[in-house]
Amino acid sequence: VYLQRWNGISGGAITNLTQAVHYKDAADVTEVRTSLDAPDIPVDNYGQKLSAILVPTETNDYQFAVAGDYATELKLSMDAFAVNAKTITQKTSWTNYQDWNAAGKSNTIRLEAGKAYYIELLHKADGGTDHASVAWKRSSDTTYSLLPVTLLYQDAMSAGVVKPAFLAHGNNFLIKGTTAVGTKVTQVAALDPQ
């Protein structure tokens, strides 16, 4: 799970984060985490994004829950690309830490075993105790649980969903000995699915 945090953004709404000029800049803090869980830290007035690739091992209908202090929003893409992520649930007021009864809950969503899904948690903290967590349950479950660490990957490449083009394809070029120095032979482009 990849965490990005932007400090110095006041307000308690997700839009305070996403519409802040600073949000378009590089994050103040980045770290790799093992879950979609961000316990309280001794900082106020920040916003953060936790993103991952989720690869379920069981085809089933799942319901997601998001809890936090203050506002939280959960997005899910039906593929591994962040650009396709849609908001599936949100909570605009605070909850106690991992209080799934008071959490924002999604509709039931069918996920397929072995398929990669981009998932993103946005969290806006103002003052006081701050936290954000995501849980899920299968249609047959009675309680929510945090998403298993073994199903979350930092990005599509570590999940094995995409391979770098230079590893997936090989090209040979025959260049004449009279070709001028600085001649462009090929161009490499990269796509970051997140």
Side-chain angles (χ1 to χ4, degrees), residues 120-185:
E120 176 181 297
L121 170 63
L122 292 175
H123 170 229
K124 182 62 190 79
D126 49 9
T129 304
D130 305 306
H131 56 86
S133 304
V134 176
W136 69 350
K137 68 176 183 174
R138 295 170 298 192
S139 56
S140 59
D141 294 337
T142 57
T143 60
Y144 288 91
S145 60
L146 293 175
L147 281 66
V149 172
T150 55
L151 307 184
L152 296 171
Y153 298 86
Q154 179 182 342
D155 53 44
M157 195 173 299
S158 65
V161 176
V162 297
K163 293 181 174 49
F166 56 86
L167 292 179
H169 305 286
N171 293 312
N172 296 319
F173 300 95
L174 180 59
I175 302 171
K176 292 183 182 181
T178 58
T179 302
V181 173
T183 301
K184 184 178 184 179
V185 176

Side-chain angles (χ1 to χ4, degrees), residues 68-148:
D69 186 357
Y70 197 75
T72 51
E73 180 177 292
L74 184 64
K75 296 181 177 186
L76 181 71
S77 174
M78 297 311 287
D79 57 29
F81 298 97
V83 68
N84 297 325
K86 307 280 187 239
T87 300
I88 59 169
T89 188
Q90 59 186 345
K91 186 72 177 177
T92 58
S93 59
W94 68 274
T95 69
N96 289 321
Y97 184 64
Q98 296 184 4
D99 181 353
W100 308 125
N101 291 325
K105 296 178 181 79
S106 73
N107 292 327
T108 302
I109 300 169
R110 184 82 168 172
L111 301 181
E112 297 175 24
K115 184 174 177 184
Y117 302 88
Y118 173 84
I119 189 166
E120 176 181 297
L121 170 63
L122 292 175
H123 170 229
K124 182 62 190 79
D126 49 9
T129 304
D130 305 306
H131 56 86
S133 304
V134 176
W136 69 350
K137 68 176 183 174
R138 295 170 298 192
S139 56
S140 59
D141 294 337
T142 57
T143 60
Y144 288 91
S145 60
L146 293 175
L147 281 66

Side-chain angles (χ1 to χ4, degrees), residues 2-11 14 16-31 41 43-51 118 120-126:
Y2 185 57
L3 178 142
Q4 297 169 279
R5 184 178 309 121
W6 293 265
N7 295 325
I9 300 175
S10 60
I14 294 297
N16 293 129
L17 170 63
T18 58
Q19 294 177 4
V21 173
H22 185 42
Y23 183 67
K24 314 250 185 300
D25 299 334
D28 296 308
V29 176
T30 60
E31 60 185 64
I41 59 172
V43 176
D44 289 331
N45 295 312
Y46 68 89
Q48 58 189 354
K49 175 169 68 174
L50 288 83
S51 58
Y118 173 84
E120 176 181 297
L121 170 63
L122 292 175
H123 170 229
K124 182 62 190 79
D126 49 9

